[in-house]
Every structure is written in structure tokens, then in C-alpha cells.
Amino acid sequence: INDIVTGTANSNDDLIIKIDGGHETLFVNFNRAKGINADVKGSIDKVVIIRQNSGADDSRWIAEMGHGEEWKSPYTFSNSGKHLVVKNCAIFYDSETDDSKSDTAKVLVYLEGLNDVECGNVPPPPQPPSSNVDNSECQTDYTWHDSGGISYDCYYYENTPNACEWFGHKFSYNGFTANDKCCVCQQ
């Protein structure tokens, strides 16, 4: 998204992929935490999948993928009998210091067993150029949620004012609270 703001994105760049057809709408994008996205604290330098149910429901983070990783939907997609697969084949950093160059991720989206595709020759994971985000000490566990249920995950704590202050030390699940699992609560 920073590439839109800086004008480095061109008409051939897919910045956000929208996937319709299941019981929800999915959005896939690469979170290169620089420029306008520099304050994003989770899923830095990852391809992320966000779920949006119908209507005005809140969007929800459902997966993140590093270089060479994939996500497979837990349900069959749009009555196809097949699972949706999103693969992050590779991440490419064009420039360490020049914000006028875009950083990209090669992503494949397909239905498993119907139109399987491969990434091809994938280079080894690159070292990300330095950004102004310090993620060296804390890694948010987006798979965790508190004892209130799956709606009360680290995404909730990141996006709900005062949630860490009021609830971060409560509602332990599997022995952990938001203060343990969500970087936003450790600040």
C-alpha cells in the first residue's frame, strides 16, 4: 500500500487480491511495513489473509505466510468440494533504502486438486531491508485467543482501545493471556 502513496506502483501491480465465492470474502496482501504501513505491528514482511464476512462485519486476520509458506482453507470453497490454497512463493526486496522501488511477493491462489500450480524455481528467502519497525524482540502469536473465544485474539487487542489495559492480564487460555501473546500489550 505504501507503493500507492509513493507512486511506485504501476498498473501491472496487484496490490490486494480479493477472493469471492466462499462463505466469506478473503483479501490477500503483502505487508511490507514501511512508509504508510510503518506502524503496523503484526505480520511484518508477510503475506496476510484477511476475512470479511457479509455486510458491515469487522474484518479478521486469519493467516500469515512467510517466504515459501502456504495456507489451505479449512473448508471446501464455494461448493467446489476443493480447498482453496494461497502460496507465498517468494518475497523480493527491490531496494534497502530507496522507497521509490517496490517490494513484492509472488503469490499463487488455486483450488487444491483442481488446478494445482507450482511456484517453480524459488530463490532462498532474502534478508528484509531494515525498516523503521523494530520487531526483533516480540512476535505476536495470531493463532492464540483468550478464554472468551476466537473473537478475542491479538487482532482484537490491537484494534480495541484500552483492551490491553483492561483485559490483557485476564482471560487466560492454555496458560497465556494477551499480555503474554500480543506484542501490542507488552508496550
Side-chain angles (χ1 to χ4, degrees), residues 67-141:
H67 182 93
E69 296 177 338
E70 73 176 39
W71 171 82
K72 182 168 77 170
S73 65
Y75 48 85
T76 58
F77 188 74
S78 189
N79 300 319
S80 68
K82 309 290 183 184
H83 292 271
L84 181 72
V85 177
V86 178
K87 277 187 185 180
N88 178 9
C89 295
I91 294 173
F92 304 96
Y93 300 104
D94 283 344
S95 174
E96 183 169 333
T97 57
D98 187 356
D99 266 356
S100 70
K101 306 224 178 189
S102 30
D103 301 313
T104 59
K106 177 183 177 183
V107 177
L108 299 178
V109 179
Y110 62 92
L111 292 176
E112 183 179 56
L114 181 64
N115 53 355
D116 292 345
V117 292
E118 294 297 324
C119 292
N121 189 14
V122 177
Q127 277 299 107
S130 59
S131 67
N132 56 358
V133 176
D134 180 11
N135 64 339
S136 60
E137 293 184 27
C138 185
Q139 292 291 320
T140 294
D141 181 357

Side-chain angles (χ1 to χ4, degrees), residues 130-183:
S130 59
S131 67
N132 56 358
V133 176
D134 180 11
N135 64 339
S136 60
E137 293 184 27
C138 185
Q139 292 291 320
T140 294
D141 181 357
Y142 287 100
T143 63
W144 174 88
H145 60 81
D146 73 19
S147 61
I150 62 171
S151 294
Y152 300 101
D153 56 9
C154 290
Y155 181 80
Y156 164 82
Y157 282 91
E158 287 176 353
N159 292 287
T160 305
N162 302 314
C164 291
E165 179 184 350
W166 296 341
F167 311 117
H169 61 289
K170 299 179 180 179
F171 307 112
S172 175
Y173 182 73
N174 286 341
F176 298 99
T177 65
N179 287 349
D180 301 316
K181 293 293 190 172
C182 308
C183 295

